[in-house]
Amino acid sequence: MATLKELSEHTGYSITTISRVLNNDPTMSVSDATRAAILEAAGALNYKKPSPRQRRDAAGHLCFAVAEMLSPVEQLKDPYYLYLKNHAVQHCLDLGHSTVSLVESDGSYQLMGSEAVNGILAIGIFSEDQIAALSALHNNLVFLDSAPV
């Protein structure tokens, strides 16, 4: 598995340029040829982004709890919901952050893990009581696929 430094040595581009291209930085403007050369080199050298565990001690590591509206069985019947949840979790992982699940039981939520969380991703539509229970766990709430007032 290649590192950014090895990609830089192989392509002649800076580590910063390579990182921004591989992370699809929308503020980064490079030619199509540069982008293609970096992506080809990354594939040829078998570059893979470091896993969140490898970056756990890096500055900026965050952990998000994920609250879900649907049960696992219901998720299998709803491809949109499943895609939304998987995309959100994968994006967190791609950024070097981690996620833990929140499980609802008797009107309250319980974290499935011991790591402190920096916020909650609430996926789906939640009742006022559920929102209050989530708010009791953390004041940083982000709702996906709903906009409670």
Side-chain angles (χ1 to χ4, degrees):
M1 182 170 86
T3 64
L4 288 176
K5 182 178 179 186
E6 291 168 332
L7 282 174
S8 176
E9 292 169 353
H10 181 79
T11 62
Y13 297 108
S14 72
I15 291 173
T16 302
T17 298
I18 292 169
S19 176
R20 290 176 69 186
V21 166
L22 292 175
N23 287 304
N24 294 319
D25 184 345
T27 64
M28 180 68 170
S29 177
V30 296
S31 71
D32 290 340
T34 298
R35 186 175 308 281
I38 290 170
L39 295 175
E40 286 175 14
L45 297 176
N46 195 28
Y47 172 79
K48 295 202 183 339
K49 289 182 183 181
S51 73
R53 291 206 182 276
Q54 291 171 312
R55 294 190 279 182
R56 186 161 293 246
D57 295 330
H61 172 261
L62 301 173
C63 179
F64 297 99
V66 178
E68 302 177 59
M69 165 184 97
L70 299 178
S71 71
V73 172
E74 292 170 320
Q75 289 178 34
L76 294 175
K77 297 176 184 174
D78 189 340
Y80 167 75
Y81 180 87
L82 192 58
Y83 171 80
L84 181 63
K85 177 208 166 207
N86 289 340
H87 183 74
V89 169
Q90 185 61 52
H91 188 67
C92 288
L93 296 175
D94 289 346
L95 293 172
H97 306 313
S98 59
T99 61
V100 294
S101 294
L102 277 175
V103 176
E104 184 181 18
S105 176
D106 298 325
S108 65
Y109 287 89
Q110 181 179 10
L111 283 169
M112 296 289 102
S114 59
E115 190 171 0
V117 297
N118 301 95
I120 298 173
L121 297 175
I123 304 172
I125 300 170
F126 294 83
S127 70
E128 288 182 26
D129 290 339
Q130 289 172 315
I131 294 169
L134 291 170
S135 297
L137 288 175
H138 209 286
N139 61 349
N140 291 327
L141 295 172
V142 174
F143 291 89
L144 300 177
D145 202 36
S146 68
V149 176

